Amino acid sequence: MTPLHEQEIEEAKERIVAARREVSDYAFEVDFMEPDPDGGGMFTVRYEVTVSNSATDKSAGYICGIGLDWVAAFEQDLSDGAFD
């Protein structure tokens, strides 16, 4: 089974294609965060995905995990020109 973050990155790449951008211009870096020590024994894996556009040197970071839709936020940023 493919990990969630890899599935989300593939979905983000599909959104780049749909926006008529070059997927090869974008890089995705994943950094896993430490679990919340006050989580009461239950924790959800959280991670940050940093997306960078090598053509413009612009990047943005997104906090991710179950219940967080960073791909939609990325798509909105892409549409708003945040990576142009």
Side-chain angles (χ1 to χ4, degrees):
M1 183 171 181
T2 305
L4 178 62
H5 67 278
E6 290 180 17
Q7 293 173 31
E8 292 170 333
I9 289 171
E10 288 307 312
E11 185 179 342
K13 289 178 180 179
E14 290 172 7
R15 309 264 177 115
I16 292 168
V17 170
R20 298 177 187 229
R21 313 278 177 118
E22 292 295 325
V23 173
S24 61
D25 288 343
Y26 292 84
F28 298 85
E29 181 179 327
V30 179
D31 291 311
F32 288 90
M33 304 166 96
E34 293 293 323
D36 181 1
D38 297 325
M42 293 184 62
F43 70 93
T44 300
V45 173
R46 294 271 190 249
Y47 47 98
E48 181 177 14
V49 173
T50 302
V51 183
S52 303
N53 181 339
S54 62
T56 63
D57 288 330
K58 294 197 177 173
S59 63
Y62 303 93
I63 301 299
C64 316
I66 295 172
L68 300 173
D69 190 358
W70 74 267
V71 177
F74 165 70
E75 182 178 36
Q76 185 64 52
D77 287 348
L78 192 63
S79 174
D80 291 346
F83 293 93
D84 296 339

